Amino acid sequence: MARCSVCGAPAVAYIRYQKRYMCRDHYLEFVESKVERAILRHRLVRRGQRVLAAVSGGKDSSTLLAVLSRLSGKLGFELVALYIHLGIYDYSEKSREASLRLARQLNVPLIVFDLKEVLGAGIPELARASKRPPCSVCGMVKRYVINAAAVELAADAVALGHNADDIAVYNLKSFLNQDLEAISKLGVRTESIPGVAVGRIRPLYYVYEKESFLYSLLAGLPFLHEECPFVDRRQMEVELKETVNQLEDKRPGLKLQMVSKLAKRVEDYPKPGGSIGRCPSCGLLSSGGECSFCRVTRRALGRPMGPVVREWFRRRA
Ligand code: SF4
Ligand code: ZN
Ligand code: ZN
């Protein structure tokens, strides 16, 4: 039986790129120290700050919330979780349940924002009314709601559960499309713009997807194993993910090298052009004119809903 390279106890994990076996406790410590190092190296959070962690009920956000809640005492920051109920049938019900159980288990305050309750429409209705694919509307809605929540709750940073695999795949996809501005947004952190946008941080930047999954399992965290019914398995990301995994098999540590190099060079990529302005309807970040959220909700529901979302969070601040 393989033994932990640190303490000699029975091993439950093998980290190929480090050629090390690990027992449960040392494995959990390994992932937590990766996140802690990322926070310290990139100054993601400072003592006394408030972090809003976006959770979806999936494995990555479970790992994110669990590791941040462990580190919040040591590093002295406040942690609040946000779950957005997207109104995607049974999937949303189950993911809400998983998020509630996770927050209870970790003793982290959780805010549940229900799209249907607040806007009168979930993602399927918004997608139908705006004639856009569900994932495109969903991504935009989540970005908007998370930022509105962070602004109203006076958070200093929004923590997202993107792992090293996600970053490596987006990076490759953006490179293939020569979308250098998209690469410029793939750093470990983005800066806040006072009053209109709260900076995003990616504490799992150096954590592999497999590592995040195993952490959730070994730490006994509740998470939803099911995928959203709108996931498109034919997407380019899925094929790129397989390719990156094949390369990782041949060259253990390749993903880590990819994200580490990106973190160092991301500042050199051209930033999106255009002026940064305020949406005339809701007052939050817009790249010109009304923001996408206000535009889409105006078209689908008859009025821009940004102010309604902001007010909902303001009452909970
Ligand atoms: Fe939203 Fe698409 Fe993800 Fe489903 S798969 S949660 S619709 S982005
Ligand atoms: Zn050990
Ligand atoms: Zn707006």
Side-chain angles (χ1 to χ4, degrees):
M1 177 198 282
R3 297 268 164 193
C4 174
S5 313
V6 185
C7 70
V12 294
Y14 179 59
I15 310 297
R16 272 187 78 205
Y17 55 85
Q18 289 194 351
K19 297 194 176 85
R20 286 165 82 201
Y21 286 97
M22 282 177 202
C23 66
R24 176 186 174 278
D25 288 355
H26 281 113
Y27 180 78
L28 297 180
E29 204 180 289
F30 161 73
V31 173
E32 286 158 14
S33 69
K34 258 194 183 196
V35 175
E36 184 177 357
R37 279 200 308 272
I39 291 176
L40 297 175
R41 189 186 317 149
H42 299 283
R43 295 192 180 87
L44 301 186
V45 190
R46 288 197 298 275
R47 194 164 281 280
Q49 288 192 325
R50 175 181 283 184
V51 176
L52 181 71
V55 297
S56 66
K59 64 179 185 334
D60 293 317
S61 54
S62 299
T63 297
L64 175 76
L65 199 67
V67 176
L68 288 183
S69 80
R70 280 188 172 237
L71 293 174
S72 61
K74 183 176 178 189
L75 301 179
F77 59 87
E78 185 195 349
L79 185 61
V80 180
L82 169 68
Y83 169 77
I84 305 172
H85 189 296
L86 300 165
I88 305 179
Y89 321 119
D90 205 29
Y91 167 76
S92 285
E93 291 306 318
K94 290 182 186 162
S95 56
R96 169 171 52 193
E97 206 35 56
S99 303
L100 286 170
R101 278 195 287 134
L102 176 74
R104 257 198 311 270
Q105 185 168 317
L106 299 172
N107 206 15
V108 173
L110 172 75
I111 298 173
V112 175
F113 178 88
D114 190 321
L115 267 189
K116 270 197 171 167
E117 202 182 286
V118 183
L119 305 187
I123 295 302
E125 294 81 17
L126 288 173
R128 228 175 289 131
S130 60
K131 298 190 176 67
R132 282 172 55 170
C135 290
S136 130
V137 175
C138 185
M140 180 277 289
V141 166
K142 283 188 287 198
R143 275 192 301 278
Y144 184 86
V145 173
I146 291 169
N147 184 51
V151 168
E152 298 303 339
L153 300 170
D156 298 286
V158 165
L160 302 173
H162 298 151
N163 58 46
D165 296 50
D166 296 329
I167 302 295
V169 167
Y170 295 149
N171 183 21
L172 205 50
K173 183 184 168 195
S174 308
F175 177 77
L176 292 176
N177 290 330
Q178 278 302 288
D179 186 350
L180 304 185
E181 286 182 3
I183 299 181
S184 79
K185 296 179 189 164
L186 292 178
V188 193
R189 60 176 302 156
T190 63
E191 294 303 322
S192 294
I193 306 171
V196 292
V198 174
R200 287 165 298 155
I201 58 174
R202 296 180 167 119
L204 304 185
Y205 202 85
Y206 301 101
V207 178
Y208 281 21
E209 184 172 291
K210 263 193 201 160
E211 293 170 350
S212 166
F213 179 63
L214 188 57
Y215 184 96
S216 300
L217 286 179
L218 294 177
L221 304 175
F223 67 92
L224 186 62
H225 294 254
E226 259 171 59
E227 275 188 331
C228 170
F230 291 128
V231 162
D232 184 358
R233 297 252 124 242
R234 293 160 310 169
Q235 270 184 354
M236 190 185 188
E237 278 94 336
V238 178
E239 285 156 25
L240 287 176
K241 198 169 186 174
E242 279 167 19
T243 308
V244 170
N245 278 334
Q246 283 164 4
L247 290 171
E248 174 78 27
D249 270 349
K250 287 190 193 140
R251 296 169 179 268
L254 180 105
K255 282 184 228 174
L256 203 52
Q257 280 173 27
M258 277 176 82
V259 296
S260 303
K261 284 181 182 160
L262 179 63
K264 281 194 194 122
R265 300 296 307 270
V266 74
E267 292 298 321
D268 301 338
Y269 282 89
K271 301 275 177 302
S275 60
I276 291 167
R278 280 176 185 262
C279 165
S281 298
C282 71
L284 292 183
L285 188 65
S286 152
S287 50
E290 201 168 45
C291 71
S292 313
F293 183 79
C294 287
R295 241 184 305 126
V296 166
T297 49
R298 179 196 290 284
R299 217 175 302 140
L301 308 168
R303 67 181 170 125
M305 297 300 265
V308 176
V309 173
R310 291 194 69 177
E311 178 57 27
W312 191 91
F313 283 109
R314 203 170 295 143
R315 277 189 272 127
R316 273 148 195 87

